[in-house]
Amino acid sequence: MTEVPEYVRNDAALTPYVETICRRLRYAEDVRRRLGGLHDAASQYLRFGLHRTDRGWTLREWAPNATAIHLRGPFSGWRSDDRFALQPTQNPAIWELHLDAEHLQHGDRYHLHLQWPGGVGKRIPTYAQRVIQIPNTAEFDAEVWDPPTPYAWRHATPPRPDVPLIYEAHPGIATSEDRVGTWSEFRENVLPRVVAAGYNTVQLMAVAEHPYYGSFGYHVTSFFAPSSRYGTPDDLRELVDAAHGMGLRVVFDLVHSHTAKNEVEGLARFDGTEDQYFHAGPRGYHDAWDTRCFDYGKPGVLRFLLSNVRYWLDEFRCDGFRFDGVTSMLYDHHGLYRDFGAYEDYFSRSVDEDALAYLTLANRLVHDLRPDAITIAEDMSGMPGLAIPGEAGGYGFDYRLGMGIPDYWIELIKERRDEEWPVGELFHRIGNRRHEEPTIAYSESHDQAIVGDQTLIFRLLGTEMYTGMSVFTENHLIDRGIALSKLIRLITVLVGGEGYLNFIGNEFGHPDWIDFPREGNNWSYEHAKRLWHLADDGTLRYRLLAAFDRQLLEVACDHGAFTSTPATLLRDHTDHQLLTFFRGSLFALVNLHPTRVADAPFELPPGKYEVVLDTDLVEFGGKRDQQRRGPVATTATTREEHVYHEVSLPLQPRTGVVLRRL
């Protein structure tokens, strides 16, 4: 039996499942051996697709069910010409074509025409590295990307930060105009804002080609083609390069959990069969997402996906990935309508162990190729070992997303008045995670911003934020919402994890949800852009929220909060809604009560403290016009024969302070 990992030995609840865990680890290793080596399997993109050679061009495709394949383009008059017919190789599932150099030029459009028993169809090559929409149509073609001068990288990759502070961003909505933004505009206009806001990592959404803009980039069709709606592949390279020059790391959203059902420009029925890349029958369909589900047990699928991982690392020098939809991958039921309340949920027959093996190998590949890269799992199930290093017997992710945190904040805001928020339960729910597995905390991401939902700030302020955000007017509802927003962020940052994520614009309380242009909104861009001018306007309170966000992250990082042991509760007083906890050298005192001033002494370990953050400062949208000065010393008080060490630090309603122990 494989050696039992330490994290399993340390969790008695995992004892009944030791053999299953060890078997899964052995299985991943068996899959690696059957692939003939991880790096070789991940080099498929160098062999498949269209490539320039010394003699001209070579095109290869994997299409086991095809009976004929023709390359079509202007060189063939867009017809099937036998001069441009791919031929089966010694492996009849693999087809290839060799062309002289003059047949294809940079910028030429092309596609494939496949025949199979009982049918024919246009197809985009599966490894195409540039795919464009044909002007004034709904159709797509591949395009030769072979510029005369390859992109010349200028900047080295910044070192991996101890704490990832992630700025999740969608390039298309990053402009303030009613249109789709570009890679170049993001580079010029947004990257400087990310640096100024104090973040060190950009997480780019919607990188790979997806025909439906409103899918948020999650209905991918061409896995090796950066989305052409934002610009060229070299525009994306320049974005990554510029980010590196600014000291920012760049993580790509990687969508290997499913793919679009599109047949002409996607993988669905590429060679005429339902199950070339996917499970056959109902298991091959994700009804909730209207997409297709990969069969991770097929070597051809593994080579395709592993190659895709390597492609982005090699060709675009990204610094890791946020793996989308990991829960959906891990379970046959996709995690739908499951609360994962018992450990047996992780070890039942519903777990797709082929998917788990793939994720294990993908993480190993990333860290073999780029030891400094990070991988993040979007998993809400809490699968044990997911964010444990491979060498320690885990599945290799560096971090998992704390997906329960935003869910809990929304639950509180929707279902309880803030006068009734249970501070003890709140602390435990925000900090509830597998502490040996690093977590990226967040109070909201793009998931909370999409149409049909609301951002936290909008839930707190409602439509008042459209008219009441002036710094020159008093507005009780605005004051309340901003105060709670700051406390939500403070608790999330200091309690929730070992890193932090923010969705583009939320650092200053962007007022709108996201609604991409679609028939239902008359193809409007009104809610598919970012209103940057709000954060830049000195007469509005948005800039005050941004200032607090920046200062909170700076304090947490400067004093090692993210890298310290988990937060420890000192006191929760539900009736008075007081919460006191510490993490590392930082001590947080929070008064969530809507009217009561917290003027009773707070019990703390004996010593001297200084205030390093006060949510109530005017510069953060509060009422105090200056920072509390000087150190605060505890005083000893004896009550009922017990000595208490306390500080007197009155807190206004809905405010909090963070102290550093000197």
Side-chain angles (χ1 to χ4, degrees):
M1 185 176 77
T2 303
E3 182 180 352
V4 179
E6 183 179 0
Y7 77 92
V8 178
R9 296 196 301 270
N10 291 341
D11 186 347
L14 289 174
T15 301
Y17 310 106
V18 166
E19 177 51 40
T20 301
I21 293 170
C22 292
R23 176 177 52 76
R24 289 174 175 175
L25 295 173
R26 290 195 303 270
Y27 180 62
E29 186 62 23
D30 290 342
V31 172
R32 184 193 65 81
R33 283 194 292 266
R34 289 200 299 271
L35 288 173
L38 196 54
H39 291 200
D40 182 64
S43 299
Q44 291 280 90
Y45 83 90
L46 297 171
R47 184 180 176 217
F48 285 80
L50 181 68
H51 295 280
R52 181 179 279 281
T53 68
D54 293 340
R55 297 183 178 182
W57 301 90
T58 296
L59 175 65
R60 289 191 184 88
E61 277 294 340
W62 175 54
N65 190 53
T67 57
I69 305 178
H70 287 84
L71 178 67
R72 289 180 170 183
F75 45 83
S76 71
W78 296 102
R79 298 186 302 272
S80 292
D81 185 325
D82 285 344
R83 293 177 300 162
F84 305 103
L86 281 70
Q87 302 298 324
T89 64
Q90 287 184 330
N91 179 346
I94 297 174
W95 299 69
E96 69 180 18
L97 171 65
H98 301 280
L99 289 174
D100 293 335
E102 65 268 17
H103 287 300
L104 290 173
Q105 305 297 326
H106 174 64
D108 283 352
R109 286 169 34 214
Y110 66 97
H111 62 248
L112 299 177
H113 186 264
L114 270 71
Q115 295 175 247
W116 55 82
V120 297
K122 171 185 173 180
R123 295 291 186 264
I124 301 298
T126 55
Y127 286 81
Q129 297 182 13
R130 169 83 166 154
V131 176
I132 62 169
Q133 187 168 356
I134 303 171
N136 302 316
T137 76
E139 296 186 28
F140 289 77
D141 272 335
E143 185 180 79
V144 177
W145 185 256
D146 184 46
T149 304
Y151 184 79
W153 293 88
R154 300 186 301 277
H155 301 290
T157 301
R160 173 173 168 169
D162 292 334
V163 177
L165 303 176
I166 300 173
Y167 197 88
E168 181 187 45
H170 185 291
I173 70 167
T175 177
S176 58
E177 300 177 15
D178 288 348
R179 57 176 176 81
V180 178
T182 68
W183 300 122
S184 296
E185 290 170 328
F186 190 93
R187 183 192 79 240
E188 295 171 1
N189 303 328
V190 181
L191 289 182
R193 290 182 179 274
V194 177
V195 174
Y199 290 83
N200 56 36
T201 303
V202 175
Q203 180 184 308
L204 281 179
M205 305 173 63
V207 172
E209 191 60 74
H210 50 287
Y212 180 45
Y213 185 47
S215 76
F216 235 132
Y218 293 120
H219 284 200
V220 174
T221 48
S222 293
F223 284 76
F224 293 82
S227 179
S228 60
R229 61 168 50 86
Y230 313 127
T232 71
D234 282 356
D235 290 338
L236 176 56
R237 289 185 174 95
E238 191 173 7
L239 188 165
V240 175
D241 200 9
H244 287 168
M246 297 179 183
L248 293 170
R249 308 259 294 183
V250 183
V251 170
F252 286 178
D253 254 12
L254 194 69
V255 187
H256 285 182
S257 48
H258 61 139
T259 184
K261 291 166 60 175
N262 304 46
E263 295 180 2
V264 174
E265 60 269 15
L267 298 178
R269 295 185 70 243
F270 179 79
D271 69 352
T273 59
E274 179 189 38
D275 59 347
Q276 180 185 358
Y277 285 90
F278 314 111
H279 291 288
R283 190 179 173 192
Y285 292 85
H286 197 308
D287 293 335
W289 293 349
D290 195 31
T291 53
R292 298 300 312 274
C293 300
F294 289 108
D295 183 346
Y296 304 100
K298 292 181 176 179
V301 173
L302 292 178
R303 291 189 176 97
F304 179 83
L305 295 176
L306 290 169
S307 236
N308 191 233
V309 170
R310 182 166 192 168
Y311 171 74
W312 295 116
L313 291 171
D314 287 353
E315 297 296 322
F316 292 87
R317 300 193 181 182
C318 69
D319 304 303
F321 304 98
R322 177 263 203 186
F323 280 70
D324 174 68
V326 167
T327 307
S328 178
M329 298 171 70
L330 289 176
Y331 306 93
D332 293 345
H333 51 64
H334 306 304
L336 299 173
Y337 316 113
R338 302 298 200 282
D339 60 7
F340 295 96
Y343 269 44
E344 62 188 30
D345 295 330
Y346 308 125
F347 303 100
S348 69
R349 301 181 71 173
S350 66
V351 174
D352 186 340
E353 296 191 354
D354 288 319
L356 193 56
Y358 164 67
L359 291 170
T360 304
L361 296 181
N363 277 296
R364 185 184 303 183
L365 175 69
V366 170
H367 295 113
D368 278 357
L369 296 173
R370 283 281 304 277
D372 66 316
I374 66 169
T375 56
I376 305 166
E378 190 207 24
D379 170 51
M380 51 76 64
S381 77
M383 168 72 78
L386 205 60
I388 296 289
E391 58 269 23
Y395 306 116
F397 284 99
D398 295 285
Y399 299 90
R400 60 164 78 244
L401 285 178
M403 299 183 70
I405 298 174
D407 290 345
Y408 182 68
W409 287 124
I410 290 173
E411 176 188 322
L412 278 184
I413 295 171
K414 287 177 65 175
E415 299 180 5
R416 307 193 199 188
R417 298 184 306 161
D418 58 282
E419 292 92 327
E420 300 169 350
W421 284 7
V423 292
E425 174 193 300
L426 184 157
F427 176 85
H428 290 292
R429 288 283 294 272
I430 301 303
N432 181 25
R433 64 186 188 277
R434 301 185 67 82
H435 291 296
E436 72 275 21
E437 303 191 33
T439 295
I440 301 294
Y442 61 105
S443 55
E444 56 185 331
S445 69
H446 73 272
D447 282 328
Q448 286 71 49
I450 56 179
V451 67
D453 210 331
Q454 296 175 343
T455 59
L456 280 180
I457 196 71
F458 196 86
R459 288 184 184 279
L460 292 168
L461 301 181
T463 56
E464 286 286 323
M465 71 185 307
Y466 291 123
T467 58
M469 290 293 278
S470 170
V471 298
F472 302 117
T473 59
E474 291 289 331
N475 188 309
H476 173 70
L477 290 176
I478 295 293
D479 289 342
R480 167 192 174 271
I482 287 179
L484 289 175
S485 172
K486 289 182 290 186
L487 293 180
I488 285 171
R489 297 189 206 189
L490 186 151
I491 295 169
T492 299
V493 165
L494 295 183
V495 179
E498 288 67 45
Y500 183 71
L501 178 143
N502 166 75
F503 180 63
I504 180 172
N506 286 357
E507 71 278 7
F508 66 84
H510 197 283
D512 286 343
W513 60 90
I514 305 298
D515 188 8
F516 286 92
R518 56 189 173 86
E519 187 175 4
N521 64 16
N522 294 319
W523 306 103
S524 170
Y525 285 88
E526 181 180 0
H527 296 287
K529 58 186 178 182
R530 297 285 87 177
L531 305 177
W532 297 112
H533 68 280
L534 297 178
D536 299 335
D537 191 334
T539 69
L540 299 177
R541 304 192 199 197
Y542 294 99
R543 64 179 178 83
L544 308 179
L545 275 173
F548 175 77
D549 191 83
R550 182 172 57 250
Q551 187 66 22
L552 171 61
L553 295 180
E554 183 177 319
V555 166
C557 288
D558 286 351
H559 300 291
F562 289 108
T563 54
S564 299
T565 54
T568 299
L569 180 67
L570 289 174
R571 184 190 182 206
D572 64 295
H573 193 310
T574 297
D575 290 342
H576 291 179
Q577 289 190 286
L578 297 177
L579 179 66
T580 309
F581 62 90
F582 74 91
R583 190 169 185 192
S585 63
L586 296 180
F587 291 75
L589 316 179
V590 175
N591 178 15
L592 272 161
H593 201 281
T595 59
R596 186 192 300 269
V597 176
D599 54 4
F602 291 90
E603 185 180 357
L604 293 174
K608 290 184 177 181
Y609 297 82
E610 67 172 350
V611 176
V612 292
L613 183 66
D614 187 337
T615 70
D616 197 31
L617 290 180
V618 170
E619 63 195 85
F620 303 143
K623 302 299 183 184
R624 289 183 61 86
D625 58 5
Q626 62 181 357
Q627 180 71 276
R628 302 172 197 255
R629 302 295 180 185
V632 181
T634 56
T635 57
T637 302
T638 302
R639 292 194 298 273
E640 298 179 358
E641 299 182 352
H642 182 77
V643 178
Y644 295 87
H645 298 272
E646 300 169 330
V647 297
S648 294
L649 204 67
L651 294 184
Q652 293 300 310
R654 298 189 179 112
T655 65
V657 297
V658 179
L659 309 175
R660 179 178 74 92
R661 190 178 183 185
L662 298 175

